Amino acid sequence: MATLAHTVTPPVHPTPLLPIVLIHGFGGNRASWTPLLKSLDTSRQTVTLDLPGHGESGRQLAAGDLPELATEVKRLLDELAITAAHFVGHSMGAEIAVTIAGANSNLPKSVTLLSGAGPGSTVNLDYIKGYLAAETEDTLAPLLRQLFADETRVTPTMVSRSLEALTAGETRQCLQVIAGNTVLNPVQLSPRERLAALTMPLQIIWGDSDRIALREQISFPPEITVHLVEGAGHMAHIEQPQAVAALLNRFIDTVDR
């Protein structure tokens, strides 16, 4: 059992509105949501967390697969006494959100998938393998540039900090275990089948220039709304946070009416 570092941001004013839980992707951490949080509805509590093996969370893993990661997120929400919330999952976080929703249908009031369609999503495996193997800033930099539509966002400072995080302690070993049991070993059931089985409102947001999660290879159920964010790659919530926040605020408010 890993200890999940997390941040709970209270609403500006006391409110009965349900909180928003944001789950980051592979190799990320809760700080990646900072640009988006500036434009999210401040009348709601938000919960951001570091997944096991990521950020400031523990490095203890059992299988390192989606059920384990989903269980750890659910355990944190239980500790916070959150019994219902709006879920937002980015990339691998989308896989975790769908896994949680499939096992706990009353917990997610809605689910938003950002640059991911849940377990079985098609991913740029060369990026994942290259990231896990990167040893120097020169090898990591071109990989990080693939995350963005605007590659100039990848600064030397970002590359340096990313390499430092990747090589700290047991992080790389943990990420290799997680990758081997998630994105590098996808489940057989298609995302379409899993999404169609969910009963809560669902929307999908995707950067129109995503080179990591390959939207074109996924067939979505017709009842699910898919929004494309212009001028965004895999990190749409960082490149176009206001556009993503507007979609989230409108969707969540509609669900809560």
Side-chain angles (χ1 to χ4, degrees):
M1 181 175 68
T3 300
L4 299 193
H6 62 280
T7 302
V8 177
T9 304
V12 173
H13 303 289
T15 173
L17 296 174
L18 292 177
I20 302 173
V21 177
L22 300 111
I23 309 173
H24 67 77
F26 180 77
N29 58 60
R30 68 189 191 276
S32 65
W33 297 111
T34 300
L36 180 70
L37 291 173
K38 295 176 182 178
S39 298
L40 272 188
D41 186 352
T42 58
S43 64
R44 296 179 185 274
Q45 179 189 73
T46 59
V47 178
T48 58
L49 55 96
D50 290 339
L51 290 168
H54 294 73
E56 297 176 331
S57 286
R59 298 304 191 248
Q60 302 79 24
L61 295 171
D65 56 10
L66 288 176
E68 179 182 1
L69 300 178
T71 296
E72 293 301 326
V73 174
K74 174 64 164 54
R75 181 178 287 113
L76 172 64
L77 298 182
D78 289 343
E79 293 173 359
L80 297 174
I82 293 175
T83 58
H86 297 279
F87 278 68
V88 180
H90 172 248
S91 195
M92 187 181 74
E95 300 188 36
I96 295 169
V98 171
T99 302
I100 293 172
N104 308 271
S105 60
N106 293 327
L107 177 57
K109 184 68 177 293
S110 74
V111 175
T112 295
L113 306 180
L114 178 58
S115 299
S121 296
T122 305
V123 178
N124 181 343
L125 298 184
D126 288 338
Y127 167 81
I128 300 296
K129 294 175 182 177
Y131 173 79
L132 289 172
E135 297 281 357
T136 67
E137 293 181 14
D138 286 343
T139 55
L140 184 58
L143 295 165
L144 295 182
R145 286 195 283 270
Q146 294 183 46
L147 295 170
F148 299 93
D150 178 7
E151 295 187 357
T152 63
R153 285 182 169 271
V154 179
T155 64
T157 298
M158 179 189 293
V159 176
S160 176
R161 289 177 177 174
S162 296
L163 184 63
E164 181 180 357
L166 175 62
T167 56
E170 299 177 353
T171 299
R172 191 195 302 269
Q173 296 93 314
C174 286
L175 293 180
Q176 288 170 336
V177 171
I178 292 171
N181 288 289
T182 57
V183 291
L184 298 180
N185 185 28
V187 297
Q188 297 304 309
L189 190 64
S190 74
R192 181 185 178 95
E193 293 174 276
R194 286 182 179 268
L195 297 182
L198 298 183
T199 57
M200 67 288 299
L202 175 69
Q203 74 167 345
I204 294 175
I205 302 174
W206 221 288
D208 66 351
S209 300
D210 196 327
R211 290 177 279 175
I212 306 301
L214 309 180
R215 171 179 50 84
E216 295 81 1
Q217 298 185 33
I218 299 173
S219 175
F220 298 108
E223 64 273 14
I224 296 177
T225 301
V226 180
H227 300 279
L228 291 184
V229 179
E230 294 184 5
H234 191 59
M235 312 299 284
H237 54 303
I238 294 177
E239 285 195 278
Q240 302 293 339
Q242 292 181 329
V244 173
L247 292 170
L248 282 171
N249 291 334
R250 183 165 59 246
F251 174 66
I252 291 172
D253 286 346
T254 300
V255 170
D256 274 352
R257 286 176 189 166

